Amino acid sequence: MKIAQEIRAGNVIMHGKDPMIVLRTEYARGGRGAATVRMKLKGLLGNIGTEVVFKADDKMDQIILDHKECTYSYFADPMYVFMDTDYNQYEVEAENMGDALNYLEDGMAVEVVFYEGKAISVELPTSVEREITWTEPAVKGDTSGKVLKPAKIATGFEVPVPLFVSQGDRIEIDTRTGEYRKRV
């Protein structure tokens, strides 16, 4: 059991009967010593978002999720199938994949997140290398300041990149923000 003011973004708590991931917390100290914590929560199983205000000393159950290193195998509509080193297969629903779909490739190493023995989501590495499949050519003279142009990777995800990046280049992308990091 933890009290509300100890909960941080990224923790998973039980709210009612549902496990919820904490996206943001704001601590506020009101009059007469009444401190509150406003939390933005998202359901792990149903992707339902909500904002809740707790008293700072409210007690809540923190959930520890299991993680397992797996590789992406294939898509069997509506499930994405992952395999671990012991050849066990785990299925994650498409709606729980989130932004991971923008970067997913065959054989890609990811961490599958489990809640009570059920695969519920996927955590990507913080950065991935991908090849640019399409981008516009640079326009000569368009160099004032930090100029970016759109570029697409094999999954169809569009990333803003600097002008010097061309089609066929490999780039590193930050999976948390979807931003270009560097050319590889």
Side-chain angles (χ1 to χ4, degrees):
M1 296 284 271
K2 275 194 167 185
I3 59 173
Q5 69 187 32
E6 294 175 340
I7 301 294
R8 301 284 175 252
N11 291 150
V12 179
I13 61 170
M14 284 301 280
H15 179 64
K17 293 179 272 183
D18 302 323
M20 306 284 258
I21 187 163
V22 179
L23 301 177
R24 189 179 71 231
T25 62
E26 290 177 22
Y27 180 79
R29 187 157 173 90
R32 298 185 187 164
T36 60
V37 179
R38 177 183 299 272
M39 292 186 195
K40 186 171 185 179
L41 306 171
K42 183 177 126 194
L44 273 181
L45 303 175
N47 266 349
I48 301 163
T50 184
E51 275 200 34
V52 184
V53 178
F54 296 101
K55 292 179 187 166
D57 57 353
D58 281 352
K59 290 187 169 133
M60 52 192 62
D61 290 327
Q62 184 179 2
I63 299 169
I64 306 299
L65 299 173
D66 298 324
H67 295 261
K68 189 176 270 192
E69 192 74 31
C70 295
T71 55
Y72 172 61
S73 293
Y74 60 92
F75 175 66
D77 200 14
M79 305 295 249
Y80 285 85
V81 181
F82 298 87
M83 189 178 296
D84 66 7
T85 54
D86 298 328
Y87 302 106
N88 296 320
Q89 291 188 349
Y90 305 102
E91 296 179 336
V92 178
E93 292 180 27
E95 64 187 34
N96 293 344
M97 291 292 289
D99 292 339
L101 296 178
N102 298 332
Y103 310 104
L104 210 56
E105 278 187 344
D106 287 344
M108 181 180 173
V110 297
E111 278 194 356
V112 177
V113 180
F114 294 88
Y115 171 67
E116 293 183 350
K118 181 182 185 277
I120 55 168
S121 68
V122 169
E123 284 185 8
L124 297 174
T126 55
S127 65
V128 294
E129 288 182 15
R130 294 292 178 262
E131 185 176 333
I132 301 292
T133 57
W134 172 88
T135 189
E136 297 173 350
V139 177
K140 191 171 184 172
D142 190 11
T143 57
S144 62
K146 186 180 178 183
V147 181
L148 300 174
K149 63 181 181 178
K152 285 189 179 178
I153 59 176
T155 60
F157 182 61
E158 201 167 282
V159 181
V161 297
L163 290 176
F164 60 82
V165 176
S166 58
Q167 192 167 319
D169 285 352
R170 290 190 65 80
I171 62 168
E172 187 175 303
I173 304 168
D174 188 333
T175 58
R176 297 166 294 188
T177 60
E179 294 176 347
Y180 165 87
R181 272 196 178 161
K182 64 182 178 183
R183 187 165 56 174
V184 183

Short mmCIF file of all heavy atoms in Angstrom, two decimals, residues 34-93:
data_model
loop_
_atom_site.label_atom_id
_atom_site.label_comp_id
_atom_site.label_asym_id
_atom_site.label_seq_id
_atom_site.Cartn_x
_atom_site.Cartn_y
_atom_site.Cartn_z
N ALA A 34 -5.32 20.81 3.89
CA ALA A 34 -5.93 19.76 3.08
C ALA A 34 -5.17 19.62 1.76
O ALA A 34 -5.45 20.33 0.80
CB ALA A 34 -7.39 20.07 2.82
N ALA A 35 -4.19 18.75 1.71
CA ALA A 35 -3.40 18.53 0.49
C ALA A 35 -4.12 17.50 -0.39
O ALA A 35 -4.69 16.53 0.11
CB ALA A 35 -2.01 18.04 0.85
N THR A 36 -4.06 17.74 -1.70
CA THR A 36 -4.70 16.82 -2.65
C THR A 36 -3.72 16.45 -3.75
O THR A 36 -2.75 17.16 -4.00
CB THR A 36 -5.95 17.45 -3.30
OG1 THR A 36 -5.57 18.62 -4.00
CG2 THR A 36 -7.01 17.76 -2.27
N VAL A 37 -3.99 15.33 -4.39
CA VAL A 37 -3.20 14.89 -5.53
C VAL A 37 -4.18 14.61 -6.67
O VAL A 37 -5.07 13.78 -6.55
CB VAL A 37 -2.39 13.61 -5.20
CG1 VAL A 37 -1.60 13.16 -6.41
CG2 VAL A 37 -1.49 13.83 -4.01
N ARG A 38 -4.00 15.36 -7.79
CA ARG A 38 -4.83 15.15 -8.98
C ARG A 38 -4.04 14.22 -9.90
O ARG A 38 -2.90 14.49 -10.22
CB ARG A 38 -5.11 16.47 -9.67
CG ARG A 38 -5.90 16.31 -10.95
CD ARG A 38 -6.10 17.65 -11.64
NE ARG A 38 -6.84 18.58 -10.82
CZ ARG A 38 -8.18 18.68 -10.80
NH1 ARG A 38 -8.89 17.89 -11.56
NH2 ARG A 38 -8.77 19.55 -10.04
N MET A 39 -4.67 13.11 -10.31
CA MET A 39 -4.00 12.14 -11.17
C MET A 39 -4.77 11.96 -12.47
O MET A 39 -5.98 11.85 -12.46
CB MET A 39 -3.90 10.78 -10.47
CG MET A 39 -3.00 10.74 -9.30
SD MET A 39 -2.86 9.06 -8.69
CE MET A 39 -2.15 9.39 -7.09
N LYS A 40 -4.01 11.92 -13.56
CA LYS A 40 -4.58 11.56 -14.86
C LYS A 40 -4.27 10.09 -15.05
O LYS A 40 -3.11 9.68 -15.03
CB LYS A 40 -3.98 12.41 -15.97
CG LYS A 40 -4.63 12.17 -17.30
CD LYS A 40 -4.16 13.16 -18.33
CE LYS A 40 -4.94 12.94 -19.61
NZ LYS A 40 -4.56 13.86 -20.65
N LEU A 41 -5.30 9.27 -15.21
CA LEU A 41 -5.16 7.82 -15.27
C LEU A 41 -5.66 7.29 -16.61
O LEU A 41 -6.54 7.87 -17.24
CB LEU A 41 -5.97 7.15 -14.15
CG LEU A 41 -5.70 7.62 -12.73
CD1 LEU A 41 -6.74 7.01 -11.77
CD2 LEU A 41 -4.31 7.24 -12.29
N LYS A 42 -5.07 6.15 -17.02
CA LYS A 42 -5.54 5.46 -18.23
C LYS A 42 -5.65 3.98 -17.89
O LYS A 42 -4.73 3.40 -17.31
CB LYS A 42 -4.55 5.67 -19.36
CG LYS A 42 -5.00 5.04 -20.67
CD LYS A 42 -4.00 5.34 -21.76
CE LYS A 42 -3.58 4.04 -22.37
NZ LYS A 42 -2.43 4.09 -23.20
N GLY A 43 -6.77 3.37 -18.24
CA GLY A 43 -7.00 1.96 -17.94
C GLY A 43 -6.05 1.06 -18.71
O GLY A 43 -5.83 1.25 -19.90
N LEU A 44 -5.48 0.08 -18.04
CA LEU A 44 -4.57 -0.86 -18.69
C LEU A 44 -5.31 -1.81 -19.62
O LEU A 44 -4.82 -2.18 -20.66
CB LEU A 44 -3.84 -1.70 -17.64
CG LEU A 44 -2.55 -1.13 -17.07
CD1 LEU A 44 -1.96 -2.09 -16.07
CD2 LEU A 44 -1.57 -0.80 -18.15
N LEU A 45 -6.51 -2.21 -19.22
CA LEU A 45 -7.24 -3.21 -19.99
C LEU A 45 -8.20 -2.60 -20.99
O LEU A 45 -8.43 -3.17 -22.05
CB LEU A 45 -7.99 -4.15 -19.04
CG LEU A 45 -7.11 -4.87 -18.01
CD1 LEU A 45 -7.97 -5.67 -17.05
CD2 LEU A 45 -6.10 -5.75 -18.69
N GLY A 46 -8.76 -1.43 -20.69
CA GLY A 46 -9.78 -0.87 -21.56
C GLY A 46 -9.44 0.42 -22.24
O GLY A 46 -10.25 0.97 -22.96
N ASN A 47 -8.23 0.96 -22.01
CA ASN A 47 -7.81 2.23 -22.61
C ASN A 47 -8.76 3.38 -22.30
O ASN A 47 -8.94 4.28 -23.10
CB ASN A 47 -7.65 2.10 -24.13
CG ASN A 47 -6.23 1.77 -24.50
OD1 ASN A 47 -5.33 1.84 -23.67
ND2 ASN A 47 -6.02 1.42 -25.74
N ILE A 48 -9.41 3.36 -21.13
CA ILE A 48 -10.33 4.42 -20.74
C ILE A 48 -9.55 5.42 -19.90
O ILE A 48 -8.89 5.05 -18.94
CB ILE A 48 -11.50 3.85 -19.92
CG1 ILE A 48 -12.26 2.81 -20.75
CG2 ILE A 48 -12.43 4.95 -19.46
CD1 ILE A 48 -13.16 1.91 -19.95
N GLY A 49 -9.62 6.71 -20.26
CA GLY A 49 -8.90 7.74 -19.52
C GLY A 49 -9.81 8.45 -18.55
O GLY A 49 -11.00 8.59 -18.79
N THR A 50 -9.23 8.93 -17.44
CA THR A 50 -10.00 9.65 -16.45
C THR A 50 -9.06 10.51 -15.60
O THR A 50 -7.86 10.26 -15.57
CB THR A 50 -10.80 8.70 -15.55
OG1 THR A 50 -11.61 9.46 -14.66
CG2 THR A 50 -9.91 7.78 -14.74
N GLU A 51 -9.62 11.51 -14.94
CA GLU A 51 -8.87 12.31 -13.98
C GLU A 51 -9.55 12.16 -12.64
O GLU A 51 -10.76 12.26 -12.54
CB GLU A 51 -8.81 13.78 -14.39
CG GLU A 51 -7.70 14.08 -15.35
CD GLU A 51 -7.32 15.56 -15.38
OE1 GLU A 51 -7.39 16.23 -14.34
OE2 GLU A 51 -6.97 16.00 -16.47
N VAL A 52 -8.74 11.93 -11.59
CA VAL A 52 -9.28 11.69 -10.26
C VAL A 52 -8.49 12.54 -9.27
O VAL A 52 -7.28 12.71 -9.42
CB VAL A 52 -9.16 10.20 -9.88
CG1 VAL A 52 -9.80 9.93 -8.53
CG2 VAL A 52 -9.77 9.31 -10.93
N VAL A 53 -9.18 13.07 -8.24
CA VAL A 53 -8.52 13.82 -7.18
C VAL A 53 -8.59 12.98 -5.92
O VAL A 53 -9.65 12.53 -5.50
CB VAL A 53 -9.20 15.19 -6.96
CG1 VAL A 53 -8.53 15.93 -5.82
CG2 VAL A 53 -9.17 16.01 -8.22
N PHE A 54 -7.42 12.75 -5.31
CA PHE A 54 -7.31 12.00 -4.06
C PHE A 54 -6.81 12.93 -2.97
O PHE A 54 -6.11 13.90 -3.24
CB PHE A 54 -6.30 10.85 -4.19
CG PHE A 54 -6.68 9.79 -5.19
CD1 PHE A 54 -6.10 9.78 -6.45
CD2 PHE A 54 -7.60 8.81 -4.87
CE1 PHE A 54 -6.43 8.80 -7.37
CE2 PHE A 54 -7.94 7.83 -5.78
CZ PHE A 54 -7.35 7.83 -7.04
N LYS A 55 -7.14 12.61 -1.70
CA LYS A 55 -6.49 13.27 -0.59
C LYS A 55 -5.05 12.75 -0.56
O LYS A 55 -4.80 11.61 -0.92
CB LYS A 55 -7.19 12.93 0.73
CG LYS A 55 -8.56 13.52 0.83
CD LYS A 55 -9.20 13.13 2.15
CE LYS A 55 -10.64 13.59 2.18
NZ LYS A 55 -11.37 12.96 3.27
N ALA A 56 -4.11 13.59 -0.12
CA ALA A 56 -2.69 13.22 -0.16
C ALA A 56 -2.38 11.99 0.68
O ALA A 56 -1.44 11.25 0.39
CB ALA A 56 -1.84 14.39 0.31
N ASP A 57 -3.19 11.72 1.72
CA ASP A 57 -2.91 10.56 2.57
C ASP A 57 -3.82 9.36 2.29
O ASP A 57 -3.83 8.40 3.06
CB ASP A 57 -2.98 10.95 4.06
CG ASP A 57 -4.33 11.55 4.43
OD1 ASP A 57 -5.15 11.79 3.53
OD2 ASP A 57 -4.56 11.77 5.64
N ASP A 58 -4.57 9.38 1.17
CA ASP A 58 -5.37 8.22 0.77
C ASP A 58 -4.43 7.05 0.44
O ASP A 58 -3.41 7.24 -0.22
CB ASP A 58 -6.21 8.52 -0.48
CG ASP A 58 -7.47 9.32 -0.14
OD1 ASP A 58 -7.74 9.50 1.05
OD2 ASP A 58 -8.14 9.77 -1.09
N LYS A 59 -4.80 5.85 0.88
CA LYS A 59 -3.99 4.67 0.61
C LYS A 59 -4.53 3.95 -0.61
O LYS A 59 -5.72 3.86 -0.82
CB LYS A 59 -4.00 3.74 1.82
CG LYS A 59 -3.24 4.31 2.98
CD LYS A 59 -3.10 3.32 4.10
CE LYS A 59 -2.11 3.88 5.08
NZ LYS A 59 -2.41 3.86 6.41
N MET A 60 -3.61 3.44 -1.43
CA MET A 60 -4.01 2.71 -2.63
C MET A 60 -3.02 1.59 -2.90
O MET A 60 -1.86 1.66 -2.50
CB MET A 60 -4.15 3.64 -3.82
CG MET A 60 -2.97 4.51 -4.08
SD MET A 60 -3.32 5.79 -5.26
CE MET A 60 -4.58 6.71 -4.48
N ASP A 61 -3.51 0.56 -3.59
CA ASP A 61 -2.67 -0.58 -3.95
C ASP A 61 -1.88 -0.25 -5.19
O ASP A 61 -2.44 0.16 -6.20
CB ASP A 61 -3.53 -1.83 -4.23
CG ASP A 61 -4.16 -2.38 -2.97
OD1 ASP A 61 -3.53 -2.27 -1.90
OD2 ASP A 61 -5.28 -2.92 -3.05
N GLN A 62 -0.56 -0.46 -5.10
CA GLN A 62 0.29 -0.32 -6.28
C GLN A 62 0.49 -1.71 -6.85
O GLN A 62 0.73 -2.67 -6.14
CB GLN A 62 1.62 0.32 -5.92
CG GLN A 62 2.48 0.56 -7.13
CD GLN A 62 3.81 1.22 -6.80
OE1 GLN A 62 4.12 1.46 -5.65
NE2 GLN A 62 4.58 1.49 -7.82
N ILE A 63 0.41 -1.82 -8.18
CA ILE A 63 0.54 -3.11 -8.85
C ILE A 63 1.91 -3.18 -9.51
O ILE A 63 2.33 -2.24 -10.18
CB ILE A 63 -0.56 -3.27 -9.91
CG1 ILE A 63 -1.93 -3.21 -9.24
CG2 ILE A 63 -0.39 -4.55 -10.69
CD1 ILE A 63 -3.06 -3.10 -10.21
N ILE A 64 2.58 -4.29 -9.32
CA ILE A 64 3.84 -4.53 -10.00
C ILE A 64 3.54 -5.43 -11.19
O ILE A 64 3.02 -6.53 -11.05
CB ILE A 64 4.87 -5.20 -9.07
CG1 ILE A 64 5.05 -4.40 -7.77
CG2 ILE A 64 6.19 -5.39 -9.80
CD1 ILE A 64 5.56 -3.00 -7.96
N LEU A 65 3.85 -4.95 -12.39
CA LEU A 65 3.59 -5.72 -13.60
C LEU A 65 4.80 -6.56 -13.96
O LEU A 65 5.93 -6.19 -13.67
CB LEU A 65 3.26 -4.77 -14.76
CG LEU A 65 2.04 -3.89 -14.58
CD1 LEU A 65 1.94 -2.89 -15.70
CD2 LEU A 65 0.78 -4.73 -14.52
N ASP A 66 4.56 -7.69 -14.61
CA ASP A 66 5.64 -8.55 -15.09
C ASP A 66 6.02 -8.12 -16.50
O ASP A 66 5.17 -7.76 -17.31
CB ASP A 66 5.18 -10.01 -15.11
CG ASP A 66 4.84 -10.52 -13.72
OD1 ASP A 66 5.51 -10.12 -12.76
OD2 ASP A 66 3.89 -11.32 -13.60
N HIS A 67 7.31 -8.20 -16.79
CA HIS A 67 7.83 -7.87 -18.12
C HIS A 67 8.62 -9.07 -18.63
O HIS A 67 9.31 -9.74 -17.86
CB HIS A 67 8.77 -6.66 -18.06
CG HIS A 67 8.09 -5.40 -17.65
ND1 HIS A 67 7.68 -4.47 -18.54
CD2 HIS A 67 7.75 -4.92 -16.43
CE1 HIS A 67 7.11 -3.45 -17.89
NE2 HIS A 67 7.15 -3.71 -16.60
N LYS A 68 8.51 -9.33 -19.92
CA LYS A 68 9.25 -10.44 -20.52
C LYS A 68 9.79 -9.99 -21.88
O LYS A 68 9.07 -9.42 -22.68
CB LYS A 68 8.36 -11.66 -20.68
CG LYS A 68 9.13 -12.91 -21.09
CD LYS A 68 8.23 -14.11 -21.14
CE LYS A 68 8.23 -14.77 -19.78
NZ LYS A 68 7.62 -16.09 -19.80
N GLU A 69 11.08 -10.27 -22.11
CA GLU A 69 11.72 -9.93 -23.38
C GLU A 69 11.21 -10.89 -24.45
O GLU A 69 11.29 -12.10 -24.30
CB GLU A 69 13.24 -10.07 -23.22
CG GLU A 69 14.03 -9.48 -24.35
CD GLU A 69 14.06 -7.96 -24.36
OE1 GLU A 69 14.01 -7.34 -23.29
OE2 GLU A 69 14.13 -7.41 -25.47
N CYS A 70 10.65 -10.34 -25.52
CA CYS A 70 10.09 -11.14 -26.61
C CYS A 70 10.45 -10.51 -27.95
O CYS A 70 10.95 -9.39 -28.01
CB CYS A 70 8.56 -11.21 -26.50
SG CYS A 70 7.96 -12.06 -25.05
N THR A 71 10.17 -11.24 -29.02
CA THR A 71 10.34 -10.69 -30.37
C THR A 71 9.00 -10.73 -31.09
O THR A 71 8.19 -11.64 -30.87
CB THR A 71 11.39 -11.49 -31.19
OG1 THR A 71 11.02 -12.85 -31.20
CG2 THR A 71 12.77 -11.33 -30.61
N TYR A 72 8.79 -9.75 -31.98
CA TYR A 72 7.54 -9.69 -32.73
C TYR A 72 7.55 -10.76 -33.81
O TYR A 72 8.51 -10.90 -34.55
CB TYR A 72 7.38 -8.30 -33.36
CG TYR A 72 6.21 -8.21 -34.30
CD1 TYR A 72 4.91 -8.43 -33.86
CD2 TYR A 72 6.40 -7.92 -35.64
CE1 TYR A 72 3.84 -8.34 -34.73
CE2 TYR A 72 5.33 -7.83 -36.51
CZ TYR A 72 4.06 -8.05 -36.06
OH TYR A 72 3.00 -7.97 -36.92
N SER A 73 6.46 -11.55 -33.89
CA SER A 73 6.38 -12.62 -34.87
C SER A 73 5.48 -12.26 -36.05
O SER A 73 5.95 -12.17 -37.19
CB SER A 73 5.85 -13.90 -34.23
OG SER A 73 6.77 -14.41 -33.31
N TYR A 74 4.18 -12.05 -35.79
CA TYR A 74 3.26 -11.78 -36.89
C TYR A 74 1.97 -11.16 -36.36
O TYR A 74 1.72 -11.12 -35.17
CB TYR A 74 2.95 -13.05 -37.68
CG TYR A 74 2.31 -14.16 -36.85
CD1 TYR A 74 0.93 -14.28 -36.77
CD2 TYR A 74 3.09 -15.09 -36.17
CE1 TYR A 74 0.34 -15.28 -36.02
CE2 TYR A 74 2.51 -16.09 -35.42
CZ TYR A 74 1.14 -16.19 -35.35
OH TYR A 74 0.56 -17.17 -34.60
N PHE A 75 1.13 -10.69 -37.32
CA PHE A 75 -0.16 -10.09 -37.00
C PHE A 75 -1.25 -11.05 -37.42
O PHE A 75 -1.32 -11.46 -38.58
CB PHE A 75 -0.30 -8.76 -37.75
CG PHE A 75 -1.65 -8.11 -37.59
CD1 PHE A 75 -2.07 -7.65 -36.36
CD2 PHE A 75 -2.49 -7.94 -38.68
CE1 PHE A 75 -3.31 -7.04 -36.22
CE2 PHE A 75 -3.72 -7.34 -38.55
CZ PHE A 75 -4.13 -6.88 -37.31
N ALA A 76 -2.11 -11.45 -36.46
CA ALA A 76 -3.27 -12.29 -36.75
C ALA A 76 -4.49 -11.49 -36.29
O ALA A 76 -4.80 -11.47 -35.11
CB ALA A 76 -3.17 -13.61 -36.01
N ASP A 77 -5.13 -10.80 -37.21
CA ASP A 77 -6.19 -9.84 -36.92
C ASP A 77 -7.15 -10.34 -35.85
O ASP A 77 -7.70 -11.42 -36.00
CB ASP A 77 -6.94 -9.53 -38.22
CG ASP A 77 -7.70 -8.23 -38.16
OD1 ASP A 77 -7.43 -7.46 -37.23
OD2 ASP A 77 -8.54 -7.98 -39.04
N PRO A 78 -7.40 -9.67 -34.74
CA PRO A 78 -6.93 -8.37 -34.27
C PRO A 78 -5.77 -8.49 -33.27
O PRO A 78 -5.60 -7.61 -32.44
CB PRO A 78 -8.16 -7.81 -33.59
CG PRO A 78 -8.77 -9.02 -32.93
CD PRO A 78 -8.47 -10.17 -33.88
N MET A 79 -5.00 -9.56 -33.29
CA MET A 79 -3.94 -9.78 -32.31
C MET A 79 -2.55 -9.70 -32.92
O MET A 79 -2.34 -10.16 -34.04
CB MET A 79 -4.10 -11.16 -31.65
CG MET A 79 -5.45 -11.41 -31.03
SD MET A 79 -5.78 -10.32 -29.66
CE MET A 79 -5.73 -11.47 -28.34
N TYR A 80 -1.62 -9.12 -32.15
CA TYR A 80 -0.21 -9.13 -32.52
C TYR A 80 0.46 -10.22 -31.69
O TYR A 80 0.24 -10.30 -30.48
CB TYR A 80 0.44 -7.77 -32.24
CG TYR A 80 0.04 -6.74 -33.26
CD1 TYR A 80 -1.14 -6.03 -33.13
CD2 TYR A 80 0.83 -6.51 -34.38
CE1 TYR A 80 -1.52 -5.09 -34.07
CE2 TYR A 80 0.46 -5.58 -35.33
CZ TYR A 80 -0.71 -4.88 -35.18
OH TYR A 80 -1.08 -3.96 -36.12
N VAL A 81 1.23 -11.09 -32.34
CA VAL A 81 1.80 -12.26 -31.68
C VAL A 81 3.29 -12.04 -31.45
O VAL A 81 4.02 -11.65 -32.36
CB VAL A 81 1.55 -13.54 -32.51
CG1 VAL A 81 2.13 -14.75 -31.81
CG2 VAL A 81 0.06 -13.72 -32.75
N PHE A 82 3.73 -12.31 -30.21
CA PHE A 82 5.13 -12.17 -29.81
C PHE A 82 5.61 -13.51 -29.27
O PHE A 82 4.83 -14.29 -28.73
CB PHE A 82 5.27 -11.09 -28.74
CG PHE A 82 4.84 -9.74 -29.22
CD1 PHE A 82 3.52 -9.34 -29.13
CD2 PHE A 82 5.75 -8.87 -29.78
CE1 PHE A 82 3.11 -8.10 -29.59
CE2 PHE A 82 5.37 -7.63 -30.25
CZ PHE A 82 4.04 -7.24 -30.15
N MET A 83 6.91 -13.78 -29.41
CA MET A 83 7.47 -15.05 -28.97
C MET A 83 8.69 -14.80 -28.08
O MET A 83 9.51 -13.93 -28.38
CB MET A 83 7.88 -15.88 -30.19
CG MET A 83 8.28 -17.30 -29.86
SD MET A 83 8.71 -18.24 -31.33
CE MET A 83 7.18 -18.27 -32.22
N ASP A 84 8.79 -15.57 -26.98
CA ASP A 84 9.95 -15.44 -26.10
C ASP A 84 11.03 -16.44 -26.50
O ASP A 84 10.88 -17.18 -27.48
CB ASP A 84 9.55 -15.57 -24.63
CG ASP A 84 9.04 -16.95 -24.26
OD1 ASP A 84 9.10 -17.87 -25.09
OD2 ASP A 84 8.57 -17.11 -23.12
N THR A 85 12.12 -16.50 -25.74
CA THR A 85 13.25 -17.37 -26.09
C THR A 85 12.91 -18.86 -25.95
O THR A 85 13.57 -19.70 -26.53
CB THR A 85 14.48 -17.06 -25.21
OG1 THR A 85 14.10 -17.13 -23.84
CG2 THR A 85 15.02 -15.68 -25.54
N ASP A 86 11.86 -19.18 -25.17
CA ASP A 86 11.43 -20.58 -25.00
C ASP A 86 10.35 -20.96 -26.01
O ASP A 86 9.69 -21.99 -25.85
CB ASP A 86 10.89 -20.80 -23.58
CG ASP A 86 11.95 -20.56 -22.53
OD1 ASP A 86 13.14 -20.82 -22.81
OD2 ASP A 86 11.59 -20.10 -21.42
N TYR A 87 10.12 -20.13 -27.02
CA TYR A 87 9.14 -20.34 -28.08
C TYR A 87 7.69 -20.34 -27.59
O TYR A 87 6.82 -20.92 -28.21
CB TYR A 87 9.43 -21.63 -28.87
CG TYR A 87 10.81 -21.62 -29.48
CD1 TYR A 87 11.82 -22.41 -28.95
CD2 TYR A 87 11.10 -20.82 -30.57
CE1 TYR A 87 13.10 -22.38 -29.49
CE2 TYR A 87 12.37 -20.78 -31.12
CZ TYR A 87 13.36 -21.56 -30.58
OH TYR A 87 14.63 -21.53 -31.11
N ASN A 88 7.42 -19.66 -26.46
CA ASN A 88 6.05 -19.44 -26.01
C ASN A 88 5.50 -18.23 -26.74
O ASN A 88 6.20 -17.22 -26.90
CB ASN A 88 6.00 -19.19 -24.50
CG ASN A 88 6.48 -20.38 -23.71
OD1 ASN A 88 6.17 -21.51 -24.05
ND2 ASN A 88 7.24 -20.12 -22.66
N GLN A 89 4.25 -18.32 -27.20
CA GLN A 89 3.65 -17.21 -27.93
C GLN A 89 2.68 -16.45 -27.04
O GLN A 89 1.94 -17.05 -26.26
CB GLN A 89 2.90 -17.72 -29.17
CG GLN A 89 3.83 -18.25 -30.23
CD GLN A 89 3.10 -18.57 -31.53
OE1 GLN A 89 1.88 -18.59 -31.58
NE2 GLN A 89 3.87 -18.83 -32.57
N TYR A 90 2.71 -15.11 -27.17
CA TYR A 90 1.82 -14.24 -26.40
C TYR A 90 1.12 -13.31 -27.38
O TYR A 90 1.73 -12.77 -28.29
CB TYR A 90 2.62 -13.42 -25.38
CG TYR A 90 3.46 -14.28 -24.47
CD1 TYR A 90 4.82 -14.40 -24.68
CD2 TYR A 90 2.88 -14.99 -23.44
CE1 TYR A 90 5.60 -15.20 -23.86
CE2 TYR A 90 3.64 -15.79 -22.61
CZ TYR A 90 5.00 -15.90 -22.82
OH TYR A 90 5.76 -16.71 -22.03
N GLU A 91 -0.20 -13.14 -27.16
CA GLU A 91 -0.99 -12.30 -28.05
C GLU A 91 -1.38 -11.01 -27.33
O GLU A 91 -1.83 -11.04 -26.19
CB GLU A 91 -2.25 -13.04 -28.49
CG GLU A 91 -1.96 -14.27 -29.32
CD GLU A 91 -3.22 -15.00 -29.73
OE1 GLU A 91 -4.26 -14.87 -29.04
OE2 GLU A 91 -3.18 -15.71 -30.74
N VAL A 92 -1.21 -9.87 -28.03
CA VAL A 92 -1.60 -8.57 -27.51
C VAL A 92 -2.61 -7.97 -28.49
O VAL A 92 -2.37 -7.96 -29.69
CB VAL A 92 -0.37 -7.63 -27.36
CG1 VAL A 92 -0.80 -6.27 -26.86
CG2 VAL A 92 0.66 -8.24 -26.43
N GLU A 93 -3.73 -7.48 -27.97
CA GLU A 93 -4.78 -6.92 -28.82
C GLU A 93 -4.28 -5.65 -29.51
O GLU A 93 -3.50 -4.87 -28.94
CB GLU A 93 -6.01 -6.58 -27.99
CG GLU A 93 -6.71 -7.82 -27.45
CD GLU A 93 -7.93 -7.47 -26.62
OE1 GLU A 93 -8.53 -6.40 -26.87
OE2 GLU A 93 -8.27 -8.26 -25.75
#
